[in-house]
């Protein structure tokens, strides 16, 4: 990425077998609440790895332990070969951290905050360069308290990049951003990966995980339920297409389940019914015949391939919403 190639080193050949993050049997409790419940995973150098799940799933606690900000009750965490618990001081100059709720100096300008953070490190990128990359040039003289929510998130990412890190931790990086700003940040994350950097991000946006992540770990209630590429996760659970439509009162589930090709059905909280079918044409024809008897027809009828959201619904029994 122009202006941010530094230590990570330009267009590299990534060795997927090189593990730069290793989590083994980690648990974290807060009183009687188990926030992280015995999780294990590894992240390869140059990979974008996503922790996907709802608020309260344990994603942020996991990332904060990897950053050396929290101490696990059990288990081991190694980042860049460094024990993240015992040697966090040696780790911090080599990682970048964008927190979910960044605490910025409200009376300093964007210029001043980025310059301040750059001064904390022996090696850093020029503040002007980082500000430009994050699209904050027009707001460089604005006080941080006057920035919009999306601009504050971009500033948080700028601060995470100012020390030219080898690994970047992004905790819900696009929360509060409008669609255009979100897409812009996605492009930046992809360029960081192209420069050989490793990205670990948390998100509750399905589209974000599908767009960015080489691999995803689905978390809920402190546990990792499934892990793999999006295609792997979908193929483990689904071999059918999805027919969806607005739920119709008066049509019993057993009648829908008996339609040609239907392997299973689900009802979403938003009022949709999903039919997973190996015979799309037969399923739709049967559905139309069934609803015609009632003098009705299915609204918002459509077809799609099963997605990461279907996997999450299959694993947890609920839809992940913003």
């Amino acid at each position: 990425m122009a202006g941010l190639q530094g230590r990570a080193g330009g267009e590299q050949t990534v060795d997927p077998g090189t593990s730069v993050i290793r989590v083994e049997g980690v648990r974290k409790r807060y009183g009687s609440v188990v926030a992280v419940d015995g999780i294990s995973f590894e992240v390869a150098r140059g990979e974008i790895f996503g922790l996907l799940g709802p608020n309260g799933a344990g994603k942020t606690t996991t990332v904060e332990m990897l950053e050396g900000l929290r101490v696990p009750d059990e288990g081991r965490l190694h980042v860049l070969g460094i024990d993240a618990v015992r040697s966090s001081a040696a780790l911090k100059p080599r990682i970048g951290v964008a927190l979910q709720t960044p605490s910025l100096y409200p009376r300093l300008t964007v210029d001043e905050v980025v310059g301040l953070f750059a001064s904390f490190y022996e090696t850093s990128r020029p503040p002007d360069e980082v500000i430009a990359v994050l699209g904050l040039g027009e707001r460089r003289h604005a006080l941080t308290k006057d920035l919009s929510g999306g601009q504050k998130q971009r500033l948080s990412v700028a601060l995470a990049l100012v020390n030219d890190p080898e690994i970047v931790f992004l905790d819900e990086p696009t929360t509060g951003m409008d669609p255009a700003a979100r897409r812009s940040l996605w492009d930046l994350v992809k360029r960081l990966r192209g420069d050989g950097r490793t990205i670990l991000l948390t998100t509750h946006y399905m589209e974000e995980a599908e767009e960015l992540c080489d691999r995803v770990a689905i978390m809920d209630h402190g546990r990792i339920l499934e892990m793999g590429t999006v295609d792997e996760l979908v193929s483990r659970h689904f071999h059918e297409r999805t027919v969806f439509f607005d739920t119709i009162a008066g049509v019993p589930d057993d009648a829908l389940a008996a339609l040609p090709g239907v392997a299973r059905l689900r009802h979403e909280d938003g009022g949709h019914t999903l039919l997973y079918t190996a015979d799309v044409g037969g399923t739709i024809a049967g559905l139309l015949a069934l609803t015609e008897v009632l003098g009705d027809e299915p609204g918002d009828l459509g077809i799609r391939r099963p997605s990461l959201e279907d996997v999450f619904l299959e694993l947890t029994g609920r839809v992940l919403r913003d």
Side-chain angles (χ1 to χ4, degrees):
M1 183 177 64
L4 280 175
Q5 297 200 357
R7 186 189 301 137
E11 295 294 326
Q12 297 184 9
T13 300
V14 174
D15 178 5
T18 303
S19 173
V20 293
I21 295 175
R22 191 168 74 251
V23 176
E24 300 174 278
V26 168
R27 286 184 169 84
K28 180 65 178 178
R29 303 175 183 86
Y30 299 102
S32 61
V33 176
V34 181
V36 176
D37 192 5
I39 66 172
S40 299
F41 64 89
E42 295 190 12
V43 180
R45 186 178 301 278
E47 183 176 29
I48 301 178
F49 185 87
L51 294 177
L52 174 68
N55 292 332
K59 309 186 302 296
T60 294
T61 299
T62 299
V63 169
E64 289 177 347
M65 288 189 289
L66 285 167
E67 295 162 352
L69 300 177
R70 296 189 186 275
V71 178
D73 298 319
E74 300 176 32
R76 293 180 293 181
L77 304 104
H78 286 83
V79 180
L80 295 168
I82 298 169
D83 188 316
V85 178
R86 297 182 179 180
S87 304
S88 61
L91 174 64
K92 288 174 182 176
R94 300 176 63 185
I95 64 174
V97 176
L99 300 175
Q100 183 175 359
T101 53
S103 180
L104 305 172
Y105 296 89
R107 297 290 181 179
L108 295 184
T109 66
V110 169
D111 247 344
E112 291 167 338
V113 169
V114 177
L116 176 65
F117 273 65
S119 72
F120 296 157
Y121 300 99
E122 291 185 9
T123 302
S124 64
R125 306 304 306 183
D128 288 349
E129 176 184 288
V130 178
I131 289 170
V133 166
L134 269 296
L136 290 168
E138 293 184 359
R139 300 291 283 161
R140 65 184 311 131
H141 300 302
L143 299 178
T144 63
K145 70 181 182 68
D146 295 329
L147 299 179
S148 68
Q151 289 167 344
K152 288 179 180 177
Q153 285 296 104
R154 278 187 279 159
L155 178 55
S156 179
V157 175
L159 300 179
L161 299 180
V162 76
N163 61 320
D164 193 23
E166 297 168 65
I167 299 178
V168 183
F169 293 94
L170 303 175
D171 194 4
E172 301 283 358
T174 61
T175 298
M177 288 188 178
D178 60 47
R182 183 174 295 172
R183 288 280 177 181
S184 177
L185 186 58
W186 289 356
D187 290 341
L188 172 63
V189 171
K190 292 174 185 177
R191 293 200 300 273
L192 288 169
R193 191 256 310 271
D195 291 342
R197 288 171 173 76
T198 305
I199 313 291
L200 191 153
L201 67 86
T202 73
T203 185
H204 62 274
Y205 295 122
M206 291 291 180
E207 184 185 9
E208 186 159 274
E210 291 177 327
E211 177 74 18
L212 291 180
C213 296
D214 298 303
R215 288 189 302 135
V216 175
I218 296 177
M219 288 193 72
D220 198 24
H221 300 298
R223 297 181 178 180
I224 291 178
L225 305 181
E226 283 273 13
M227 184 163 48
T229 68
V230 173
D231 286 344
E232 287 170 348
L233 293 174
V234 171
S235 65
R236 284 176 202 165
H237 293 270
F238 298 96
H239 301 284
E240 311 94 7
R241 295 287 184 95
T242 305
V243 174
F244 61 88
F245 54 92
D246 292 336
T247 300
I248 303 172
V251 178
D253 284 355
D254 57 357
L256 294 173
L259 292 175
V262 173
R264 65 188 112 176
L265 69 85
R266 289 192 182 276
H267 298 292
E268 289 187 335
D269 293 339
H272 272 101
T273 295
L274 309 179
L275 303 178
Y276 300 100
T277 177
D279 180 5
V280 171
T283 297
I284 292 177
L287 176 63
L288 293 175
L290 182 63
T291 55
E292 185 178 9
V293 173
L294 300 174
D296 202 348
E297 62 180 28
D300 194 26
L301 177 63
I303 307 164
R304 60 173 169 79
R305 294 182 182 276
S307 66
L308 193 57
E309 184 161 7
D310 293 307
V311 175
F312 188 87
L313 180 62
E314 176 79 4
L315 292 172
T316 66
R318 56 199 173 94
V319 178
L320 182 57
R321 296 300 185 195
D322 296 353

